[in-house]
Amino acid sequence: MDEPKEAEGYLGHGGAPPPPFRAAVDALRGTRLRPQIEIDPAPAPKRLAPYAYALEAAVVDGEEDLADGRLVLLHDPAGHDAWQGAFRLVTLVRAELEPEMAADPLLPEVCWSWLTGALSARGLAYGEPSGTVTRASSHYFGGLSARPSASQIEIRASWTPREGLGGAPDTGTHLVAWCDLLAQVAGLPPAAPGDASVVTLPQRRGPQSR
């Protein structure tokens, strides 16, 4: 099997990639996603782990990006004390909000529950979750005063996917769960009709840059 190239989102600086990492990357690359989500390989970080693979995704409605994000798979064959495992998934998710929604004091807790809920809904075992939820507002003045105020939510998180047979985690299903989070932040209905546990954010504001 040919090694994935760095241009395809892969980076290995610890020698030939071990089979569990290869299997985990293959699962990410072979996962089919809902049509509103566009996904591409991205440059992998160089100093976080001996092996890494990165993806970028956007939830697209016509020419408008409703949300975007980045998912990075890290692997250290020797294990990592902070991870409590040999693999780690790291993510950044962003979306623009209506100012009224951004002012909700419970929004950070709700957004974090969307992440953990997406993983649990797919039946995934994971550990050591950590992260931040940040909301920011921009107000324009002077020559930019014609622009409407804008608010954005940003979720940064990481977690340890539990390893399965052969030492590789079920990264394909983790990717699907992550895309469920992206779709939820973007205000799309759940992929599985009738899932009453899913609450979405309505009224995305204008296109955002990727």
Side-chain angles (χ1 to χ4, degrees):
M1 178 188 297
D2 294 335
E3 293 185 14
K5 298 178 181 178
E6 183 173 348
E8 296 175 327
Y10 164 83
L11 180 68
H13 49 88
F21 180 70
R22 285 179 174 270
V25 170
D26 287 345
L28 288 173
R29 297 171 71 186
T31 299
R32 298 185 62 180
L33 305 172
R34 58 193 297 175
Q36 299 94 334
I37 295 178
E38 296 181 355
I39 194 163
D40 294 292
K46 296 181 178 181
R47 292 180 292 274
L48 298 181
Y51 304 94
Y53 184 80
L55 295 167
E56 289 182 344
V59 182
V60 178
D61 180 15
E63 296 184 356
E64 180 181 355
D65 283 7
L66 304 180
D68 62 63
R70 178 180 172 93
L71 184 68
V72 179
L73 173 69
L74 304 175
H75 179 51
D76 186 341
H80 195 292
D81 289 342
W83 304 350
Q84 293 295 300
F87 287 88
R88 189 75 170 170
L89 284 164
V90 182
T91 186
L92 164 66
V93 171
R94 299 174 298 189
E96 290 194 14
L97 307 174
E98 288 295 326
E100 297 81 7
M101 183 67 71
D104 186 341
L106 296 179
L107 184 64
E109 289 81 2
V110 170
C111 288
W112 183 256
S113 73
W114 288 345
L115 170 62
T116 57
L119 296 171
S120 297
R122 295 289 176 178
L124 291 164
Y126 66 96
E128 307 302 318
S130 63
T132 62
V133 177
T134 304
R135 51 186 166 185
S137 298
S138 299
H139 303 271
Y140 300 96
F141 301 93
L144 300 177
S145 60
R147 293 188 183 183
S149 298
S151 298
Q152 186 180 72
I153 193 75
E154 180 180 277
I155 304 171
R156 293 179 180 269
S158 63
W159 65 94
T160 298
R162 296 306 183 200
E163 297 163 23
L165 296 177
D170 183 4
T171 50
T173 305
H174 279 273
L175 175 58
V176 172
W178 180 71
C179 288
D180 290 342
L181 170 66
L182 265 179
Q184 200 165 356
V185 171
L188 295 185
D195 186 355
S197 67
V198 174
V199 180
T200 57
L201 282 178
Q203 298 179 323
R204 292 281 71 71
R205 182 187 288 277
Q208 60 185 13
S209 61
R210 295 171 62 177

